[in-house]
Amino acid sequence: MGGVIQIFSRKGEKDGITVSVGAGSDNTRDTMISASGSTQSAVYNATVSYSESDGYDVQYGDDTQTGPNTYPFDDDSYSKGDFSFSGSSDLTDNAEIFVTLNRSENSGEFDGGIKPYTDSDASIATIGGQYRFEKITTKLQYGRYKEDALSDDSTDPRNTFNYGELHSVLDQTIWENVFQINDKTKINFGAEYTVSDAEYILGFGRYDADDHDQFSGYLNARTELGGFVLEAGVRHDDDDQFGSELTGDAGIGYWINEQLRISATAGNAFKAPSNNDLYFPGYGDPTLLPEESKTAELGLDFYRDDSVASLHLFQTKADNLIAYNPAIYGPENIAESKVTGVEFQWGTVLYGVNTGISMTYQRPIDEVTKEDLALIPRKFASLDLDKDIGKGSFGLSWYVQSKQLDNAGEDIAGYGTLALRAGYQLTPEVKLRARIDNVLDKDYIEITDYNTEGLFAMFFVDYTPN
């Protein structure tokens, strides 16, 4: 229910340049240039990419309507340019500095006016360093996320929602420490300070949110005692809008033998509403409460040289779950919800084929209405197969899920999709790649009123000069 996403740019592992070009369905074109390099004390990777496509009709809700007060529903084209750079350098045997830069420029059409479009520029930049003592490694980094978006079709008098500007900035400072007491005991501790700011300038309203800051501190420990593995952690968040919150987790595992382990974990978490959830004009609700959740899990894990398998039972109870309600055109809190389920995963090599299987059954329930939570299926599974044959490689991914409820409480039918991929090393410098998504051209729905892509094929040529 609550969590953290960290983005790590790829480090240069081999000096050289790779150029990749691709083309495929919907008149899609893709170009990428990547360069990696290293010295005795430094390493870097830089990538530039650009893609554009005629797209497909994203929204089907009014496809059959005609007349002067309806919008044209046609293919929604897009273009996207990206640049990323990561580099690190050793100052001494124990000291290192690093920097990452990521920038993305996007433009896309959407249904909702004469010629509506959205342009956005987003960037992430981090800089920091770490120092390794005999038993402690400490790292300090600062990062900034910045986004500017313009959505415009103000020439259309019917369009009252789909034009305006968004400006968002998030600054974060992180201090991380790892204390390796001995081979079997380790302690992690640190602190984070985050400041976010957002401004919305729309055709029907404006909101300039005050700076929102949060200070957090955490402590985690892990140790091994005989066949037991013990872990515990605690985290304190001080939010200037939602107050203080103490969360934590603990777990215990036991190795039955060298290949089989049983485990039990429990913990709680909270997630504050986003700026959009709180303040976006015509959508946000400033009275929203943070999500608070408690999770427990029992697990059985199997490890072998050529196989990994796991069976886990889990349950999460949440208070004030934030969910979209179409009746009010905005988010609301679900007072009490519960998700109970079981998950099985298996990875192995069968007759030279890398095989991965994952299956989940769960019951996502609104504890007040006793209805299923929206957009969460009860059953889903996936199968991945990959095989190398000489200079070639082949693979497939199959995904299936059961029906689910949409935001209005109506059933969305279950579906299954199949994807194929292949590669061939034509020469030492040239590799050919291809992929086909939704091979069976299934017509399925993930969210009511929105289309999904039909059969989609892409072909790539990669060139890596020696």
Side-chain angles (χ1 to χ4, degrees), residues 87-160:
S88 63
S89 177
D90 295 330
L91 300 180
T92 67
D93 291 341
N94 297 321
E96 176 189 2
I97 58 172
F98 56 87
V99 61
T100 65
L101 301 171
N102 295 273
R103 180 174 176 82
S104 179
E105 296 186 3
N106 304 277
S107 181
E109 296 177 342
F110 60 89
D111 292 324
I114 294 175
K115 192 173 178 60
Y117 67 90
T118 296
D119 289 336
S120 66
D121 297 332
S123 61
I124 301 174
T126 62
I127 186 171
Q130 74 173 19
Y131 191 86
R132 295 176 291 273
F133 296 92
E134 182 178 355
K135 291 187 175 182
I136 297 179
T137 299
T138 184
K139 180 169 71 172
L140 181 66
Q141 72 177 48
Y142 164 77
R144 162 168 281 202
Y145 170 80
K146 186 175 184 295
E147 181 181 13
D148 297 294
L150 170 66
S151 180
D152 188 29
D153 188 22
S154 55
T155 60
D156 187 348
R158 298 166 296 184
N159 186 7
T160 58

Side-chain angles (χ1 to χ4, degrees), residues 378-425:
R378 287 199 171 199
K379 294 176 285 187
F380 53 94
S382 65
L383 169 67
D384 288 282
L385 302 175
D386 284 282
K387 171 71 173 178
D388 292 332
I389 303 177
K391 295 182 178 180
S393 61
F394 304 89
L396 67 82
S397 293
W398 180 46
Y399 175 81
V400 293
Q401 74 169 48
S402 64
K403 68 178 182 180
Q404 59 184 330
L405 294 181
D406 66 10
N407 286 312
E410 302 295 329
D411 281 344
I412 300 177
Y415 62 88
T417 60
L418 176 67
L420 301 178
R421 54 188 169 271
Y424 185 76
Q425 195 71 46

Side-chain angles (χ1 to χ4, degrees), residues 324-387:
Y324 175 74
N325 182 351
I328 61 175
Y329 300 102
E332 67 175 359
N333 287 121
I334 297 176
E336 297 179 27
S337 62
K338 181 172 69 174
V339 180
T340 304
V342 57
E343 181 181 58
F344 171 75
Q345 291 183 320
W346 180 40
T348 189
V349 180
L350 293 175
Y351 303 102
V353 178
N354 293 320
T355 304
I357 297 174
S358 176
M359 296 183 289
T360 299
Y361 173 79
Q362 60 186 4
R363 295 191 64 211
I365 299 297
D366 183 326
E367 291 281 75
V368 177
T369 65
K370 302 305 179 183
E371 298 287 339
D372 280 12
L373 296 173
L375 303 179
I376 303 180
R378 287 199 171 199
K379 294 176 285 187
F380 53 94
S382 65
L383 169 67
D384 288 282
L385 302 175
D386 284 282
K387 171 71 173 178

